[in-house]
Amino acid sequence: MKDTETEACFGCLNISCKKRLYPEREPLSRGSLLRSLPALLIPAAGFVAGYILPGILVSGAGEALQAACGMTSLFASAGLWYILRRK
C-alpha cells in the first residue's frame, strides 16, 4: 500500500517544504492574551456565582448541591459566552 503525499509529509520538519500541513502562526502577543482572557474568566465567574448563591439562598444547602450548581453555571456561562461570540 502506497502512502499518499499527505501521510508522507505529516510531521515533516523541513522548513523549505511547500506541502506543510500546518501554516505558520504568529507568536503570542500581550494583546491576543488579553483578548482571550474573558473566555477564561467568564466561566470561572459563573462557577463561583453558582457555588456561592445556593449557600446564600438556601440555608441548608450542602456542599454537593453547591458544587452541582457551580458546575451547571460554569457550563451555562461558557455556552452562553460561546453563542454570544459566534454572532
Side-chain angles (χ1 to χ4, degrees):
M1 188 164 133
K2 187 176 180 181
D3 291 333
T4 62
E5 290 181 18
T6 322
E7 290 173 345
C9 191
F10 185 77
C12 177
L13 297 177
N14 186 3
I15 294 173
S16 62
C17 181
K18 301 295 181 194
K19 298 178 187 176
R20 296 186 74 161
L21 291 178
Y22 303 106
E24 293 292 328
R25 295 184 179 151
E26 63 183 52
L28 289 177
S29 64
R30 186 174 185 200
S32 65
L33 291 176
L34 288 176
R35 282 190 309 251
S36 64
L37 198 58
L40 298 173
L41 292 180
I42 289 176
F47 175 80
V48 170
Y51 186 84
I52 292 174
L53 284 177
I56 295 172
L57 298 176
V58 181
S59 61
E63 192 171 323
L65 175 66
Q66 288 180 308
C69 290
M71 290 303 294
T72 303
S73 62
L74 176 129
F75 287 113
S77 62
L80 183 63
W81 179 251
Y82 175 75
I83 290 169
L84 289 176
R85 293 296 297 167
R86 297 288 287 174
K87 288 185 178 186

